[in-house]
């Protein structure tokens, strides 16, 4: 393809490193959490506690309000992603002026117009991915509301007609899946900031990506919030 020859090899190498670090960290976080509980795994424990309490509550209006509140955050990020995508497409119409502006930034590497547009397209694809993750997270919270609404009354659990733990585990797994999907979308936002450094230089993007990975690791495995929740 012609685009391959038009993009410098340094940019291709930086892009490969960017996605390798992104995918690699996502995989590492999932595997490492089996040895050292992550923030997501720890909060999943609280989600299980929550759903166990839900099976004993009647009416369950409080649980519906909590579910609605949790779905507000991915709804916000989903709509924000659409706005960012629209702004980036608008930027594609004025790439010549934007590239000229970037060239005036100290230490910024001069690039051709097609390379500048390619970087914007990659940035758009990241926000498209985040939009799909956040919108899927919103849908999963509607499923959570359905699962909670379909729970039988506490008396049915106490009489042994239904298995309380089975209902609680199913609902907790659904909430945990929604939280993991939201985490994927939020992680895309973090890495999109690292990609902005690509407009300065490929080396800057790789450095920014490593910084983002370090921040994510610290927040997911070494944060003060995690220590409080574990205690």
């Amino acid at each position: 393809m012609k685009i391959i020859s038009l993009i410098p090899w340094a940019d291709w190498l930086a892009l490969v490193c960017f996605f390798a670090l992104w995918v690699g960290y996502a995989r590492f976080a999932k595997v490492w959490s089996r040895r050292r509980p992550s923030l997501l795994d720890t909060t999943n424990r609280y989600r299980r506690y929550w759903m166990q309490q839900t099976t004993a509550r009647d009416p369950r209006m409080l649980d519906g309000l909590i579910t609605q509140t949790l779905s507000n955050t991915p709804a916000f990020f989903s709509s924000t992603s659409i706005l960012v995508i629209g702004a980036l497409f608008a930027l594609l119409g004025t790439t010549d002026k934007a590239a000229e502006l970037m060239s005036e930034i100290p230490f910024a590497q001069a690039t051709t117009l097609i390379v500048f547009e390619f970087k914007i397209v990659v940035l758009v694809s990241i926000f498209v991915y985040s939009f799909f993750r956040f919108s899927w997270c919103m849908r999963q919270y509607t499923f959570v509301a359905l699962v909670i609404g379909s729970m039988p009354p506490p008396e049915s659990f106490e009489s042994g007609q239904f298995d309380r733990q089975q209902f609680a585990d199913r609902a907790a797994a659904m909430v945990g899946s929604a939280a993991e999907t939201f985490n994927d979308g939020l992680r895309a936002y973090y890495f999109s900031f690292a990609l902005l450094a690509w407009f300065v230089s490929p080396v800057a993007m790789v450095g920014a990506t490593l910084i983002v990975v370090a921040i994510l690791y610290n927040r997911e495995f070494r944060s003060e919030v995690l220590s409080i929740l574990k205690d």
Side-chain angles (χ1 to χ4, degrees):
M1 296 176 64
K2 187 177 180 180
I3 186 67
I4 297 178
S5 60
L6 293 176
I7 306 299
W9 66 268
D11 289 292
W12 283 119
L13 183 60
L15 189 61
V16 170
C17 290
F18 172 80
F19 283 108
L21 287 169
W22 183 353
V23 176
Y25 175 77
R27 179 60 181 169
F28 164 80
K30 185 171 292 187
V31 174
W32 186 249
S33 62
R34 299 170 187 169
R35 300 178 56 184
R36 180 172 183 171
S38 64
L39 188 60
L40 180 62
D41 288 330
T42 304
T43 52
N44 278 340
R45 185 179 64 187
Y46 284 88
R47 293 181 180 96
R48 289 192 292 271
Y49 294 158
W50 170 27
M51 289 305 161
Q52 287 171 0
Q53 294 295 323
T54 301
T55 58
R57 238 193 307 266
D58 189 28
R60 300 187 174 101
M61 295 179 59
L62 175 62
D63 306 289
L65 289 174
I66 295 174
T67 303
Q68 183 179 3
T69 302
L70 290 174
S71 65
N72 288 337
T73 304
F76 168 77
F77 278 102
S78 181
S79 59
T80 302
S81 299
I82 294 176
L83 294 176
V84 174
I85 292 170
L88 290 173
F89 274 117
L91 181 61
L92 282 174
T94 58
T95 50
D96 51 346
K97 296 180 181 179
E100 183 180 352
L101 179 64
M102 287 296 302
S103 63
E104 296 177 0
I105 298 178
F107 309 110
Q109 181 179 341
T111 58
T112 61
L113 195 60
I114 190 171
V115 173
F116 191 85
E117 291 176 344
F118 177 72
K119 294 176 181 179
I120 295 176
V121 170
V122 175
L123 194 57
V124 167
S125 65
I126 292 177
F127 282 101
V128 169
Y129 168 79
S130 66
F131 166 76
F132 279 110
R133 298 308 287 171
F134 287 130
S135 59
W136 177 232
C137 177
M138 291 167 53
R139 287 204 63 191
Q140 288 183 84
Y141 276 120
T142 63
F143 302 150
V144 172
L146 289 173
V147 172
I148 293 176
S150 66
M151 286 183 180
E155 295 79 12
S156 299
F157 292 126
E158 293 170 1
S159 64
Q161 184 178 359
F162 295 98
D163 187 353
R164 180 191 301 271
Q165 194 61 45
Q166 183 181 13
F167 273 85
D169 289 343
R170 182 185 297 113
M174 183 62 69
V175 181
S177 177
E180 185 174 1
T181 305
F182 176 79
N183 195 42
D184 291 340
L186 193 61
R187 191 177 289 159
Y189 263 64
Y190 275 88
F191 279 97
S192 67
F193 282 102
L195 190 67
L196 290 175
W198 195 14
F199 291 93
V200 177
S201 71
V203 176
M205 183 179 72
V206 175
T209 306
L210 290 173
I211 292 174
V212 167
V213 169
I215 292 174
L216 288 173
Y217 176 79
N218 183 69
R219 292 190 175 181
E220 293 188 41
F221 293 96
R222 300 174 61 90
S223 64
E224 182 179 355
V225 174
L226 177 60
S227 62
I228 293 173
L229 291 174
K230 288 167 67 175
D231 292 340

